[in-house]
Amino acid sequence: MPEPTKKSASAFTKKPKTQAAELGASVVFEAETEKPDAKVRWQRDGKDLAAGDKYDIKADGGKHSLTIKGIAKEDAVGYCVIAAASKVKFELKIKEKEEVKEEPTPAADPAPAADPAPADVAPPPADAPTDAPAGGEPNGVAPPPAAPKSAPPDVPAAPSPDLIADRRMSVDTRQDLTGLFTEKPQSGDVTVGENITFIAKVCAESLLKKPTVKWFKGKWMDLASKSGKHLQLKEHYDRNTKVYTFEMHIIAAKPNFAGGYRCEVSSRDKFDSCNFELAVHEVRVAEEFDIRAAFRRTSASGSGGSKKKPAAGSSIDGSEDSGELDFSALLKKSSSFLKASPRAVKVSNEPDVDVWEILAKAAPTDYEKIAFQYGITDLRGMLKRLKKMKKPEEKKSAAFLKKLDPAYQVEKGHKIKLAIEVADGDKEVKWLKNGQPIAPSGRYIFESVGNMRYLTITHCSLADDAAYTCVVGDEKTVTELFVKEPPVTILQNLEDQMAMKGERVEFMCEVSEEGAHVKWEKDGVELTRDESFKYRFKKDGRKHYLIINEATKEDCGNYRVKTNGGESVAELLVQEKELEVYQNIADLTVKAKEQAVFKCEVSDENVKGKWFRNGVEVQADSRTHITHIGRMHKLTIDDVKPEDQGDYTFVPEGYAFNLSAKLNFMEVKIDYVPRQDPPKIHLDTGSSTPESTIVVVAGNKLRLDVPITGDPAPTVVWTKGEKVISEADGRVHVESVRGHCIFTIEGAERQDEGVYSVIVRNPAGEDTADITVRVVDVPDPPQAPRILSVGEDCCVVEWDPPHFDGGSPVIGYVLERKKKKSYRWMRLNFDPHKETTYTARRMIEGMAYEIRVYAVNAIGMSRHSSPSQPFVPIAPTSEPMALCVDDISNTTISLKWKAPERVGSAELEGYGVDYCKEGTDEWVPAFEGLTDRTSVTIRDLPTGERMQFRVRAFNLAGPSAPACLAQPVTIREIMQRPKIWIPRHLRQTLVKKVGETINLVIPFQGKPRPKVTWKKEGEELDPKRVNIRNSDVDSILFIRRAERKDSGKYDMHLQIENVEDQADINIQIVDLPTPPQDVKIMDVWGFNVALEWKPPKDNGNCDIIGYTIQKADKKTMEWFTVYEQYRRTNCVASDLIMGNEYIFRVYAINMVGSSLEPCISKDSAFIQKPGFVYKPPSYKDHDFNEAPKFTHPLVNRSVIAGYNATLSCAVRGIPKPKITWYKNKMDISSEAKYRTFSKQGVLTLEIRKPCPFDGGVYMCKAVNESGEDMVECKLEVRPQIAKVDTKK
């Protein structure tokens, strides 16, 4: 299994712990952050806590505390503290008040007092069991079952189950169902030897591609390559629910399997991950003390121990290095470990024993038990001494003479050869990888050389990092192969970024290898995915992206990307957005008892502000009302008094500007009018228009105070059209008081627009005035937007203006977008956009979005429109490449091209081909629909026209940019000179046997289609025997059954108008030879017979390569072969039996075979029996030794480069001479370019594919005991010369 996981970075240096408290008491949770200015939130069941009577929240630099007062039962829930991207969970436990019974302590030897427990370790609850399992948590150690309640102080106590649960809960702080997981794998416990399964589920309804799941142990170790006996990965798919289920089965768990695991799921640009823990418990043995307590590392040691500061980012609250420390690990590691606190050693009266002798004979797994039994505390010294002791000699293996080394290392991409030597070369050898048999393939090569067996692994990858086993019979040898990755370097560094607050920031770097792991850090702290999805990590080939959604001031800093071969740093600066004012406050002039309303509208609805009058902050009271609804801020003053007059200012919080306006108090003075004065209306609307038009914003109150004069007091009548407005209370009503009449509209609406008339009458006369009231409002929402086109990360949206502009012209539009399955809308523009089309950018390719629009006029912003239809940003492909003309005729043209260089996330649907005449823009589709092929033939084109062609690639986003020809093409067949391409094997004589089929395919070129004629020896071919089939590109000569008369020279003639080409092909039809002629017995002596014969009349159209001579006794007529492949026409048959009479026969042999009939000798040869004593004459023994002599010399030759050449000669000599070949007096016998043959005295030197460098003087030298001889010749190698076309 891989190494334990590394801890991720965290914003906390001290984390709150789960605590238990009694009812009515108070409890304090403390936390410390790495940065003193970090913002910290406390939550209870996912809801933020605020300071009050119940909760007391304090912050002092980087120290933060939460105090819960008056604890009740309902407070026993889950809490968490959040800082930046880190979140730590903890709980509050309620414990009942109990009376502690003191028990007498049994007499024992005095032991040193234990140090007090550290303050940051929460005490276990009173009801915690005292016999918790030893393996329940790596940080705890259980006491022996028989120990009394008052345990010795030097034995560490087991942590409470609540604390264990708290620690496990804090390991994975992201278990909420967010992202792609519908069910995340949960942390679990397992006992050694048992099985456990972790399950992850992913819903694929919204995914464009099947999700990919990876399981990791620690931070980088991919478990896919570790599948085998103890680990299995499975996956299932439910078509009904569209849910993928991924399972990780751990079989027969071992103690070193414990640690942190991670599950990652990805689908295109979507990514999610989940962390979980596995705790492995030892099997408890009854009535036996857990000796691991002496060697377990804890977060707080005794007096002799040390406390280690937890690493930054650890999500385990209790300790950072928890885990067992067994001796099997100590034998492999050399790092230091925390020693256990001193413990009392029990004195034994047993006789002395040699502990080292016991340890030397014991297995390493028993070292712990023996060390504890005999009181050995210096464990490291014990291990060092054991290593120095002489190891027993290993037993020799009966199956292996040489075993595998314990481990091998190879670089990624290289090859490695594993070698063993077996004792028995006949036994079968099996190779296993992680316990699974290895099948031979291109990457795994098995070799066997003598007793050596080799396994070669080519192009090693990380998947080859495994355990390899070689099995021979019942024995095996095991090794580990470690694949070393080359360092990943950064090719393109990060670039500094500057963004506005709330914008999306993207860092990009390019590394040297695809799929490489990189680590992102901010100011030295590693970045991880959190619940808020603030940071998103994306991979695209060798490019890696860090995306920050909605940047804030806290995101400023240095961002660093690290690989195992380098790093790159960039700085991010985030600036505040300028606050925009949509509606400024205006000066007001009001009269006594009236209402004054100041209001303004700003771009950010979350901005708060304060109102000031003459520099003094305005406080709300019974007459003064301050409201903040959305982006609108209002200050309303009822019953205006003279002291309310002054300068009013609105100051937004956090921005260095203000909005000011003046309130003018107007006193109404009525001059004395004598009695019987006709009525007069003193109308002053304050408007610049002559029509006395009053503009009021919808929803606001219109109060018009019209002064009137007249004596006696006139009566007042208000009308709108023919309708008289009564003085009764209502939304629109009038009120008459002495000296003036008041016209009021409460909450103006659109139907209140119109011309209002006021008529005053008294006995002295009447007066009339018309007032036009115009109600302005925010515009109606625009029509639902339409998506015109989409790109890789953008789209073009269009909408129709609103039906009603609210009485004020529309000054622009504001757009928002959101992801389809999200509820959060994001503003696309802050300044009103004046056009009705807009290009939205910075979207994620492959993600579904919706867009809505607001209309803005001088009054404010309308309600949002209906959202657009969901759309997915997908970029069209790049243009097809390498468009060219493949062929052309009078009415057709063939085009071919290559696929686009970039296809994008959407699949390629096909290609569309268009054409148009030169000088026009009317493109005509060449065919209906799309084609999947990268070549097409367009037919029925006008002959002689100059045409332009284009090809476009289509995907879901539409057509790509067109690929056009460089210039128009004239639709006319282009003449091409005729040319015959003779295949290489037909450039020499073609040899066929009688009865075989001849099928010659001769390719040629030429346009228009050339005329093909065939002749044999200048005469026309017999169509009954020879079939000729011609096409546009080749000609076929076919003879079903070849005969001897088909041999000869065939001429192929190609002609286009006055241009022609010609080629010759030689065909040789061979058959069996006829028998030899006239076999004669020339002489008989002793046991020998001399024979002679003549060659056959018909050699079968090829050379005779030998004869077969046979003999037969006339008594039995059984034939026996005397010579085979005999090249001469005379021979001597020896070793004949005396007293027998023999006849002989001879067969002729050529390249086809032996003649069907033999030629039999007419006479017979009788071997005489000796009837007398023959005294042979005395002769000197003849010396048959003969010096070598060449009977046929080498001949000067001139050959063409590239074709094999041979040099031949013949030599005789007794004994057989040794032959040596030389080139320019250099021995060439051992060179691979030359081959030598020697057959019955005929010597041949073959030169394979000579080049001009092979020319020179070649010499053949023959040497034996009697002498030597040599011959030589010159070889000229001529370069190939292209054949020149001949014109007739």
Side-chain angles (χ1 to χ4, degrees), residues 447-459:
E447 297 179 79
S448 175
V449 180
N451 284 4
M452 298 298 295
R453 301 293 184 267
Y454 301 96
L455 168 62
T456 304
I457 306 174
T458 60
H459 302 292

Side-chain angles (χ1 to χ4, degrees), residues 435-495:
Q436 301 297 323
I438 303 176
S441 64
R443 293 186 61 249
Y444 297 101
I445 302 173
F446 301 99
E447 297 179 79
S448 175
V449 180
N451 284 4
M452 298 298 295
R453 301 293 184 267
Y454 301 96
L455 168 62
T456 304
I457 306 174
T458 60
H459 302 292
C460 291
S461 64
L462 293 181
D464 298 319
D465 190 302
Y468 290 84
T469 305
C470 181
V471 181
V472 178
D474 296 334
E475 295 190 32
K476 64 182 179 179
T477 175
V478 182
T479 186
E480 284 276 346
L481 177 60
F482 298 95
V483 180
K484 181 181 178 182
E485 282 193 276
V488 179
T489 59
I490 297 179
L491 303 180
Q492 182 175 351
N493 290 320
L494 300 177
E495 295 182 358

Side-chain angles (χ1 to χ4, degrees), residues 368-442:
E368 297 180 18
K369 184 176 180 180
I370 298 171
F372 184 82
Q373 180 179 357
Y374 291 96
I376 298 176
T377 57
D378 188 3
L379 307 179
R380 182 174 297 277
M382 181 190 75
L383 291 176
K384 288 182 178 180
R385 181 170 177 179
L386 284 175
K387 289 180 180 179
K388 294 179 180 179
M389 294 176 65
K390 184 178 179 180
K391 297 182 180 179
E393 295 184 359
E394 296 183 359
K395 296 182 180 178
K396 291 187 178 180
S397 172
F400 293 97
L401 299 180
K402 177 185 176 183
K403 291 188 175 183
L404 295 171
D405 293 341
Y408 296 88
Q409 182 173 346
V410 63
E411 290 189 2
K412 183 179 179 182
H414 292 206
K415 75 174 183 178
I416 188 172
K417 179 180 286 189
L418 307 180
I420 64 159
E421 185 177 359
V422 296
D424 186 356
D426 297 332
K427 284 195 175 182
E428 182 182 3
V429 176
K430 294 182 180 180
W431 292 90
L432 308 177
K433 174 184 176 183
N434 287 335
Q436 301 297 323
I438 303 176
S441 64

Side-chain angles (χ1 to χ4, degrees), residues 1087-1252:
F1087 304 105
N1088 308 309
V1089 174
L1091 301 176
E1092 189 176 302
W1093 62 91
K1094 295 180 180 179
K1097 290 184 178 180
D1098 184 5
N1099 60 2
N1101 201 24
C1102 59
D1103 294 337
I1104 298 297
I1105 61 175
Y1107 299 93
T1108 299
I1109 299 95
Q1110 294 181 342
K1111 66 181 178 180
D1113 185 1
K1114 292 189 70 174
K1115 296 178 182 178
T1116 61
M1117 289 304 293
E1118 292 183 5
W1119 293 94
F1120 298 93
T1121 300
V1122 178
Y1123 295 104
E1124 280 187 331
Q1125 297 286 339
Y1126 190 78
R1127 299 185 65 86
R1128 300 179 182 178
T1129 57
N1130 55 73
C1131 72
V1132 175
S1134 304
D1135 299 330
L1136 301 178
I1137 299 174
M1138 186 179 298
N1140 290 349
E1141 187 176 1
Y1142 292 91
I1143 59 174
F1144 300 89
R1145 66 181 183 185
V1146 180
Y1147 291 89
I1149 305 173
N1150 65 2
M1151 63 180 297
V1152 181
S1154 178
S1155 59
L1156 297 177
E1157 298 292 336
C1159 178
I1160 303 176
S1161 62
K1162 296 180 181 179
D1163 301 331
S1164 61
F1166 181 76
I1167 307 302
Q1168 296 287 342
K1169 292 183 179 181
F1172 55 91
V1173 178
Y1174 175 72
K1175 294 183 179 180
S1178 59
Y1179 297 101
K1180 286 186 179 181
D1181 292 335
H1182 181 71
D1183 185 10
F1184 290 94
N1185 290 342
E1186 181 181 5
K1189 183 179 181 181
F1190 285 90
T1191 59
H1192 190 284
L1194 292 173
V1195 180
N1196 295 338
R1197 293 200 59 188
S1198 176
V1199 298
I1200 298 175
Y1203 298 89
N1204 293 355
T1206 58
L1207 302 177
S1208 299
C1209 60
V1211 67
R1212 71 182 184 187
I1214 300 174
K1216 184 178 180 180
K1218 178 182 178 182
I1219 306 301
T1220 307
W1221 289 88
Y1222 298 86
K1223 173 194 170 187
N1224 295 333
K1225 299 184 179 181
M1226 300 292 293
D1227 189 357
I1228 60 174
S1229 302
S1230 60
E1231 293 188 18
K1233 187 176 182 69
Y1234 305 91
R1235 287 199 305 174
T1236 60
F1237 303 91
S1238 177
K1239 193 170 185 180
Q1240 297 184 0
V1242 178
L1243 309 179
T1244 303
L1245 172 67
E1246 181 183 10
I1247 307 173
R1248 300 181 180 179
K1249 297 184 179 179
C1251 62

Side-chain angles (χ1 to χ4, degrees), residues 544-597:
H544 294 255
Y545 298 85
L546 168 63
I547 300 172
I548 305 175
N549 296 317
E550 296 186 0
T552 62
K553 278 287 189 179
E554 297 177 356
D555 296 324
C556 294
N558 292 324
Y559 288 81
R560 186 185 309 268
V561 60
K562 290 184 177 180
T563 67
N564 59 0
E567 62 180 35
S568 177
V569 183
E571 184 179 5
L572 172 62
L573 298 178
V574 180
Q575 296 181 350
E576 292 281 354
K577 287 185 179 179
E578 295 184 1
L579 188 66
E580 300 180 18
V581 179
Y582 291 159
Q583 181 180 350
N584 204 341
I585 58 177
D587 295 342
L588 296 178
T589 302
V590 295
K591 300 176 182 178
K593 301 294 184 181
E594 289 187 344
Q595 183 186 61
V597 178

Side-chain angles (χ1 to χ4, degrees), residues 36 61 94 205 334 381 431 489 520 692 822 1047 1080 1093 1183 1193 1226:
I94 303 298
E205 289 186 356
S334 60
W431 292 90
T489 59
W520 293 90
S692 299
S822 174
S1047 300
K1080 296 179 180 180
W1093 62 91
D1183 185 10
M1226 300 292 293

